[in-house]
Amino acid sequence: MTQISPSAAHWGAFNAVVRDGKLSETRPFAGDPAPPPLLGAMPAAVHSPLRIDRPYVRKGWLNGDRQGGTPRGAEPFVPLSWDAATRLVAGEVARVRDTNGPASLFGGSYGWSSAGRFHHARSQLHRLLASAGGYTAQLTNYSYATGMTLLPHIVGTNDILDGPMVEWPDICANAKLMLCFGGITLRNGQVNSGGGGRHEMRLWLQRAADAGVKLVNISPVRGDMPDFAGARWLPIRPGTDTALMLALAHVILDEGLEDRDFLAEHTTGHERLRAYVLGETDGVAKTPSWAAEITGLSADVIAAVAREAAGCPTMLTAAWSLQRAERGEQPYWMLVALAALLGGIGKPGTGFSFGMGSENGMGTPRTKVPSVTLPALPNPANSFIPVARITDMLEQPGGAYQYNGRNLHYPDTKLIWWAGGNPFHHHQDLNRLLRAWAKPETIIVSESWWTSPARHADIVLPATTTVERNDIGSSSADRFILAMHQAIAPVGQARNEFDYMADIAEALGVRERYTQQRDENAWLRAMYGRAQQIYAPLGVDLPDFDAFWAAGHVEIPRPAKGNVPFTAFRTGTAKLNTPTGRIELYSERIAGFGYDDCPGHPVWFAPQEYLGSPTAARFPLHLLSVQPSTRLHGQLDPVGPSAASKVQGREPLSIGPADAAARGIAEGDIVRVFNDRGACLAGARITGGLLPGVVLLATGAWFDPEHPGQPGSLCVHGNPNVLTRDEGTSRLGQGPVAQSCLVQIERFAGVAPPVKVSAPPPIEAAA
Ligand SMILES: Nc1nc2c(c(=O)[nH]1)N[C@H]1C(S)=C(S)[C@@H](COP(=O)(O)OP(=O)(O)OC[C@H]3O[C@@H](n4cnc5c(=O)[nH]c(N)nc54)[C@H](O)[C@@H]3O)O[C@H]1N2
Ligand SMILES: Nc1nc2c(c(=O)[nH]1)N[C@H]1C(S)=C(S)[C@@H](COP(=O)(O)OP(=O)(O)OC[C@H]3O[C@@H](n4cnc5c(=O)[nH]c(N)nc54)[C@H](O)[C@@H]3O)O[C@H]1N2
Ligand SMILES: [Mo]
C-alpha cells in the first residue's frame, strides 16, 4: 500500500511516499522552482543501518568511570532498556544539579536539530532542563555570531544579517553594480533552518543578471558565482577583504567621490575612519597598491572598481563566511562603512546586506513575521557562554574572559547533554575538544544516527526522525508554514524527544512544568494558535488549524509593497537603535570596551594564518572549510549525493592543478592534509577556478579518528575541523574563526586506514 503525506526538512518541503511501512521516496513540494537534490537521500538515511536502534551506555561508565579514565569514543556500548536509561539520565541530572548547581549542567546543545519546530530536540532539551532547575546555555550561533554581536552597535539591528534585508526585486530594478564578497553560492541556497517551500536564489540571481546588474564575485573561488551570472571574478586571498574594502574607501575619499551629505547626516565617526584610511593616524595610507600586496589583486583593478561603484547605484553583500574568521568583525564593519561612503543605504536596491548567497530566502520579498515556535521557558541558572567557547569552558572552569563589554567566568561543567547538534561537526580544533571532552563526569547524547557525538557519549538516547512524528515546519526566511504528518512508525526503539523527556521530567518530579499538560496534538494546535494571534495584527490571517493540517501548508502571500531597510532612517523620520541614533563608523561604546582586537573603528589586522603570514612558509595552503553541496553539515553524510561524492571513501578536497602538480598529486589520490593542530585524509579532486594556494574541504565528513579516543590521531575520513583553529574572533564577538586556517598537503603513500564511521560502533551484550 502506498501512502503520501506532507513533510519538511531544512533542505525543503516534500511529500513523503510510504510503501509497506517504509519511507520509499520524497517528492518535492509543488511549485518549488529548485528543489534540492538532498531530498532524495532521505529514505536511505531514515532506514540506514547507522540508525541508533535503542538506548546504550558506555561500558566503562557503567562500571563507574566518571572522570574520563577511559577516553570517550574508544569503548564498546552496552544496550539499555528505556526504563533503565530514563532512570540513569534523571539520576545524573538530579545528582549534578544538587551537588554542583544547575550551571554545571551544560545544555547549550547547539545545532540545527529538525525543521519541525515542536520536536526540535534542542528546544525540547532546554525546556526540560529549565523545568528541572536550569542549565548553562549557548548564546549566538556558529553561522554569524560575530556579525550578530557587532551590528547592533553600529546599525542598531541584526535584520540586515538574516532578513528582512535589501530585496532582490529592488536590486534588479535599481542597482547597476553588485559587489558580492564571498560570491552568491547557489550550493548554500539549498537550505534554511525550518525548511522552505520555495528555493529562489538561482531565480533571483538570474533575474539580476538579466536586468543588467553587473555582478562581481569577490572570492578565492570562481564557482562561488554560477556561470550564467556572467560575473567578473576578483580572486582575492582569503581573510583579506577588509584590506580591499579599505583601499576602495581610499580611492573614494582621495578622489572626493564620497556622499558627503549622507556621511554628515546619517553617520558618526566618519572623520576618524577617514584619517585612518588616508594614513593620517598610523602613517599607512590604505591605497590600492597597499591592498594589492595583501589581497593579491592588482591596484588598477581595485581603483577601477572603486570608481565604478562610486559612479552608479551599487549594492554590497558579504557572505557570512567572511566573519567566521580571525577578527571577523572588521570586514563586516568596513562593508557598512563602504556602503555609507557610497550613500546608497535606505534607497531601494542599494546599500548593503549580508548573506544574500548564504541561505535560502535571503533577499526574497516576504512579510516580516516570526516563525512558528515552541515557547521557551526561563532558565533559572542564568548561565551562558558565547556559542563557540565550549572548549575554553571545559578547559578552564571558573576562568575569566571577556565578551562584548562584559567580564564573565566559565562554569564548572560536570554534565553535558547534547540533543540535535553535532559538536564534532561544528567545533574547531577537534583534538583540543576531544581532550577537553574527557573532563565532565557524564555526557548524554540524544541522536538518531551513530554520529561522532553519539560515539563519544556515555549515555546514548535514540531519537525519531522527522517522518516518524507530527510537526510544523516554519522559518522566518520562508513564506510557507508546513504541516509535517507522521509518515511511518518509529524505527527500532527510537522515541520522540518530547515523549522520553516527559518521562525523565516525571522522574525528576517536573512533568507538568515540562509538558504543560499538553500532548503532541495539543502542542501543535497551541503553537499554531499563537502564530495566528501574532500574525493577525501584522496583516496575515491564517486559516484554522484543521484546514491548515488538511491542506498540508499555508502560503503567506507575498507583500504588495517591498521592504526597503533604513528608509525611515534615511528620510529622517526614525533614528537607529545605536547610542547616537546614527550609523557608527566610530563607536564610542566599542572603543570604551578597550579591546585592542576590536578598536573603535574598522581596521586591517593581518591574520595569524593567511597566505601572507609567516606561518605560510610551513603551511603554504589556505584551507577553506566551506558548506557542503551534498548534505547539510554532517546530516545525510553517509547516504545519497554525499556518499556518492567520496573519493576512495574519503571526503573530496578541491585543489588547483598547479598546487597538485607541485606535490605530485593526481586526480583521485588519497592525500594527507595537516598542520600543527592535526591531520586528516581526503580524496584529491583537481579543480579549476581556485586562487592558487587555496584548497577547499567542505565541512561535514563524520569525524573518524584512526585511534578512537586518542586526541591527535589522523581523521581517516576528512573532517576539516581537526585542522581549524579554535579561538574567538575577538573579545567583542567571540565567534568561531574556522576560515583562518593554513595547511600543507602531501600524497598519502601506502595503504590508507579504513573508514570506520560507515558502520555502528562496537556493541557488547549486557553483562
Ligand atoms: N570548519 C568549519 N566548521 C563549521 C562551519 C564552517 O564554515 N567551517 N560552519 C559552522 C556553522 S555555520 C554551523 S551552523 C555549524 C552546524 O553544526 P550542527 O548544526 O551541529 O551540524 P548538524 O550536522 O546539522 O547537526 C545536527 C545534528 O542533529 C541531529 N538531529 C536531527 N534531528 C534530530 C532530532 O530530532 N533529535 C535529535 N536528538 N537529533 C537530531 C542530526 O542527526 C545531526 O547530527 O557548523 C559550524 N562548523
Ligand atoms: N548545501 C548546504 N547549504 C548550506 C549549509 C550546508 O551545510 N549545506 N549550511 C548552511 C549554514 S548553517 C550556513 S551558516 C550558511 C553559511 O553560508 P556562508 O557562510 O556564506 O557559506 P560558506 O560556504 O562557508 O562560504 C561562502 C563562500 O565564501 C568564500 N570565502 C571563504 N572565505 C572567504 C574570504 O576570506 N573572503 C572571501 N571574499 N570569500 C571567502 C568561500 O569560497 C565560500 O564558497 O550556509 C547554509 N547553507
Ligand atoms: Mo550556520
Side-chain angles (χ1 to χ4, degrees), residues 110 112 422 426 428 446-447 469 497 625 633-635 721:
Y110 179 78
W112 269 47
N422 183 345
H426 64 236
Q428 284 58 64
S446 303
E447 251 293 354
R469 57 210 188 195
E497 253 88 26
S625 43
H633 315 137
Q635 300 191 50
N721 276 327

Side-chain angles (χ1 to χ4, degrees), residues 88 108 178 323 333 357 446 450 515 634 690 713 729:
L88 267 188
M178 181 161 173
Q323 48 86 70
W333 202 345
S446 303
W450 281 111
T515 64
L690 291 176
S713 78
T729 49

Side-chain angles (χ1 to χ4, degrees), residues 254-275:
D254 188 48
E255 300 182 6
L257 306 175
E258 74 274 22
D259 185 333
R260 283 183 209 149
D261 293 341
F262 187 85
L263 290 175
E265 286 163 30
H266 297 288
T267 71
T268 177
H270 58 92
E271 308 85 352
R272 292 222 204 193
L273 182 61
R274 177 194 177 91

Side-chain angles (χ1 to χ4, degrees), residues 110 112 141-144 320 324 359 627 633:
Y110 179 78
W112 269 47
N141 59 35
Y142 277 78
S143 314
Y144 42 69
W320 294 337
R324 289 201 301 283
E359 209 172 86
Q627 307 298 315
H633 315 137

Side-chain angles (χ1 to χ4, degrees), residues 75-374:
E75 277 188 332
F77 287 96
V78 176
L80 274 184
S81 69
W82 264 113
D83 263 1
T86 304
R87 270 183 278 114
L88 267 188
V89 170
E92 282 301 288
V93 168
R95 179 185 68 80
V96 170
R97 175 197 61 198
D98 298 342
T99 318
N100 304 94
S104 59
L105 285 154
F106 183 72
S109 190
Y110 179 78
W112 269 47
S113 302
S114 63
R117 302 287 90 172
F118 172 62
H119 292 291
H120 188 255
R122 183 185 195 213
S123 308
Q124 291 290 357
L125 179 64
H126 288 177
R127 285 182 57 93
L128 172 67
L129 294 176
S131 305
Y135 61 99
T136 292
Q138 279 165 299
L139 217 61
T140 71
N141 59 35
Y142 277 78
S143 314
Y144 42 69
T146 299
M148 226 174 145
T149 310
L150 172 76
L151 290 171
H153 293 296
I154 62 174
V155 292
T157 172
N158 270 327
D159 282 357
I160 207 71
L161 181 59
D162 63 352
M165 53 180 59
V166 178
E167 293 180 347
W168 280 110
D170 286 334
I171 295 172
C172 295
N174 298 288
K176 293 282 173 265
L177 178 71
M178 181 161 173
L179 304 184
C180 307
F181 293 85
I184 302 282
T185 328
L186 296 186
R187 159 190 88 222
N188 290 353
Q190 297 182 83
V191 308
N192 60 276
S193 180
R198 288 177 62 83
H199 294 84
E200 298 189 353
M201 197 184 278
R202 169 184 291 272
L203 183 152
W204 286 113
L205 192 61
Q206 181 78 64
R207 285 193 192 163
D210 292 347
V213 181
K214 279 185 268 166
L215 295 154
V216 184
N217 176 27
I218 304 171
S219 166
V221 184
R222 189 172 60 210
D224 277 348
M225 196 75 99
D227 287 344
F228 70 71
R232 209 178 319 164
W233 181 33
L234 301 191
I236 191 171
R237 281 191 189 135
T240 68
D241 301 81
T242 308
L244 170 60
M245 294 174 197
L246 284 165
L248 296 173
H250 189 280
V251 175
I252 292 168
L253 290 167
D254 188 48
E255 300 182 6
L257 306 175
E258 74 274 22
D259 185 333
R260 283 183 209 149
D261 293 341
F262 187 85
L263 290 175
E265 286 163 30
H266 297 288
T267 71
T268 177
H270 58 92
E271 308 85 352
R272 292 222 204 193
L273 182 61
R274 177 194 177 91
Y276 173 74
V277 169
L278 298 181
E280 290 160 11
T281 32
D282 63 354
V284 181
K286 313 301 176 300
T287 61
S289 24
W290 168 83
E293 284 282 304
I294 298 169
T295 59
L297 299 171
S298 92
D300 290 346
V301 166
I302 298 173
V305 169
R307 290 180 196 126
E308 192 181 347
C312 70
T314 297
M315 176 64 198
L316 306 177
T317 182
W320 294 337
S321 58
L322 265 75
Q323 48 86 70
R324 289 201 301 283
E326 185 178 327
R327 310 293 176 258
E329 293 81 4
Q330 304 309 320
Y332 268 36
W333 202 345
M334 195 54 214
L335 192 85
V336 175
L338 198 54
L341 290 173
L342 295 173
I345 298 169
K347 289 189 195 169
T350 60
F352 69 100
S353 287
F354 297 100
M356 298 203 72
S358 297
E359 209 172 86
N360 178 39
M362 297 300 113
T364 305
R366 59 181 192 269
T367 304
K368 186 184 177 180
V369 289
S371 71
V372 180
T373 44
L374 177 67

